[in-house]
Amino acid sequence: MNKKQKLNHVSIETKVVSENASSNDPYGATSMPIYQSATFQQPSATTFGEYDYSRSGNPTRDALQNQVALLENSPGARCFAFSTGMAAIAAVMRLAQVGDEIIVNVDSYGGAYRLMANIAPRCGIKVHYIDMASKTGPAKVQAAITPATRLVMIESPTNPKQHICDIAALSAICHTNKHAVGTLLSVDNTMMSPILCRPLEIGADVVIHSATKFLGGHSDTMAGVVTVRDKREKDGKTLAESVYFYQNAEGGGLAPFDCWLVLRGMKTMAIRVERQQQSALQIAHWLQACPEITEVMYAGLPDHSDHDIHIKQCSGGGAVVCFLTGNVALSEHIVTATRLFKITVSFGNVNSLISIPGLMSHASIPDDVKAQRGFPDDLVRISVGIEDVKDLIMDLQSAVNSFVSQSSTPSESSAAIAP
Ligand SMILES: *Cc1c(COP(=O)(O)O)cnc(C)c1O
């Protein structure tokens, strides 16, 4: 039905809307249909159709996987969609086997930390935690790689502390180190989305997204995607064949309706992320100028210590801004008193969100590890949505003001609340 050729040369803002339908739908549907079917009829007992069972393959899941692979912009790349971001990370962990080692960045997402600390050892995998951020990170990885190192796993910027890892430098170490036979660099790119950063373009082998965040964008579903470069390994299999094997064998593939929700969300991803990022930068500047805020962590700020590395690999700082107040009570007050910022874990939603990661999304990290990582309880994370940025700044301002007036003149403020 659709005889038009795929467009590879157009920009990502165009790709997110141009490829989002079935190419052989008999009715020419312009939105990918939801193939809500567990099984598919076969032509005969001995001839097989393209699909047989939705755990193994489903047209709506394929549409999502093809769309994400297209956005990652690496020839021959293939994507696999899973039930959550964590299921996607777990599938990547499966690329390591008994006796292999994984090097993980110390400042990793709480759920990734829990998986590596508790599940990887049960699979006979040894995990090393190394601070891979900044200009000093690559040399530390170089020193830590052994012939058993199967995976080097990073996020950049890290969530929430916004430490930056140099993707190109780390991938060069994984691929040229004399010990590193078959070492893969995996980048969890959830914080950036494919709109702002495409790690396969700059040397990574594997890119992971929690599609629950920017890809979906509406907080209405959970999903995770793994995209791998076109690479054949020493066991003769391609990376894509290995990841597909685990998707099918372990059954974590994303269900058709959720695939459709992510496909639908992705159509507006470029315009959402662009707007969110613009507002985030304005809010970061406002926070820097606010006397009650002691430190702003945002990779998009020119005075971020690794802004130069970040801007080499990403086109902007994204939508997540973190800050410290030096006062846990003030941080908790801001989180509670803002009206437009919903108190939730997660980020990347169309609504603005606010949280204290140390108490919420990263609570799965043990206290001693948090202390070691320098994870303060006054750290507030905001995820900037698509609202008018003037309203968002006013909301933050009045939350700060209400704390200041409350603590400086307690009798007046309580009188104002209860006249
Ligand atoms: C949210 C998140 C995950 C986990 O994804 P889920 O969809 O919640 O399972 C992994 N990595 C990062 C960086 C995240 O922010």
Side-chain angles (χ1 to χ4, degrees):
M1 187 89 191
N2 181 354
K3 300 210 176 58
K4 295 198 178 182
Q5 294 290 307
K6 281 202 171 219
L7 299 166
N8 281 314
H9 56 280
V10 297
S11 70
I12 192 159
E13 290 80 359
T14 307
K15 281 179 186 171
V16 291
V17 286
S18 63
E19 296 282 348
N20 215 323
S22 167
S23 57
N24 59 0
D25 182 83
Y27 305 107
T30 51
S31 162
M32 183 66 201
I34 305 168
Y35 284 85
Q36 193 66 39
S37 182
T39 47
F40 298 86
Q41 287 187 54
Q42 305 305 303
S44 77
T46 51
T47 50
F48 302 103
E50 194 176 348
Y51 297 99
D52 59 358
Y53 193 56
S54 277
R55 168 159 47 72
S56 312
N58 176 283
T60 314
R61 190 189 300 142
D62 275 352
L64 170 62
Q65 295 179 159
N66 292 338
Q67 173 72 346
V68 175
L70 181 80
L71 301 185
E72 295 293 355
N73 199 29
S74 169
R78 281 187 57 198
C79 168
F80 301 91
F82 293 87
S83 55
T84 61
M86 282 318 306
I89 297 176
V92 172
M93 188 185 80
R94 290 285 186 222
L95 293 169
Q97 321 225 318
V98 177
D100 285 349
E101 297 179 6
I102 301 180
I103 301 177
V104 183
N105 193 33
V106 279
D107 194 20
S108 59
Y109 172 71
Y113 178 85
R114 177 170 47 204
L115 183 77
M116 292 300 155
N118 299 291
I119 312 290
R122 289 190 220 166
C123 305
I125 299 162
K126 196 162 175 198
V127 182
H128 300 277
Y129 303 91
I130 290 184
D131 181 0
M132 294 188 238
S134 300
K135 293 178 184 72
T136 51
K140 293 183 205 157
V141 177
Q142 173 91 15
I145 278 187
T146 75
T149 309
R150 176 63 169 140
L151 282 163
V152 173
M153 301 184 78
I154 59 168
E155 299 159 33
S156 187
T158 58
N159 161 25
K161 291 187 74 187
Q162 309 241 342
H163 292 164
I164 306 299
C165 294
D166 188 329
I167 298 172
L170 290 168
S171 87
I173 286 167
C174 291
H175 300 146
T176 60
N177 190 292
K178 63 180 184 327
H179 292 312
V181 201
T183 302
L184 303 171
L185 178 67
S186 166
V187 179
D188 180 336
N189 192 34
T190 303
M191 283 275 278
M192 288 288 98
S193 88
I195 302 300
L196 303 179
C197 180
R198 291 170 295 281
L200 300 187
E201 282 180 349
I202 46 179
D205 301 292
V206 178
V207 54
I208 301 167
H209 290 276
S210 165
T212 312
K213 317 289 167 58
F214 291 103
L215 275 69
H218 295 75
S219 263
D220 52 12
T221 186
M222 302 205 67
V225 289
V226 174
T227 309
V228 293
R229 77 163 56 254
D230 186 12
K231 183 166 180 169
R232 193 168 293 281
E233 300 207 280
K234 59 180 190 306
D235 63 2
K237 294 201 194 97
T238 63
L239 270 179
E241 284 164 349
S242 298
V243 177
Y244 173 71
F245 177 81
Y246 293 113
Q247 187 192 45
N248 183 40
E250 298 194 319
L254 189 61
F257 181 58
D258 300 277
C259 290
W260 184 86
L261 282 170
V262 177
L263 271 170
R264 178 182 159 103
M266 279 169 64
K267 291 179 191 181
T268 55
M269 177 166 60
I271 195 166
R272 280 188 278 114
V273 169
E274 201 175 302
R275 163 73 169 246
Q276 286 168 286
Q277 164 164 278
Q278 230 171 30
S279 301
L281 184 61
Q282 269 178 268
I283 290 175
H285 283 303
W286 179 84
L287 286 165
Q288 278 192 316
C290 177
E292 282 76 21
I293 306 301
T294 54
E295 187 180 337
V296 181
M297 302 160 180
Y298 182 58
L301 286 170
D303 51 5
H304 183 289
S305 57
D306 287 319
H307 182 71
D308 54 336
I309 306 176
H310 178 73
I311 220 65
K312 194 175 67 168
Q313 59 196 19
C314 304
S315 54
V320 177
V321 181
C322 300
F323 61 88
L324 303 176
T325 62
N327 178 349
V328 179
L330 171 56
S331 293
E332 287 181 8
H333 176 85
I334 293 172
V335 170
T336 309
T338 45
R339 287 152 185 247
L340 297 173
F341 291 82
K342 311 260 181 288
I343 306 176
T344 72
V345 295
S346 196
F347 56 85
N349 188 16
V350 286
N351 295 111
S352 291
L353 313 173
I354 193 162
S355 67
I356 298 190
L359 306 175
M360 298 169 71
S361 55
H362 291 58
S364 52
I365 300 173
D367 286 343
D368 55 327
V369 178
K370 262 192 249 174
Q372 200 183 327
R373 279 170 54 168
F375 211 103
D377 280 344
D378 65 327
L379 192 157
V380 178
R381 181 179 75 191
I382 59 176
S383 169
V384 179
I386 62 172
E387 303 91 338
D388 186 334
V389 67
K390 291 194 295 296
D391 293 330
L392 296 176
I393 289 175
M394 229 152 56
D395 195 26
L396 288 166
Q397 177 81 69
S398 63
V400 171
N401 288 352
S402 63
F403 183 82
V404 173
S405 62
Q406 192 184 55
S407 41
S408 57
T409 54
S411 52
E412 272 175 41
S413 76
S414 52
I417 295 163

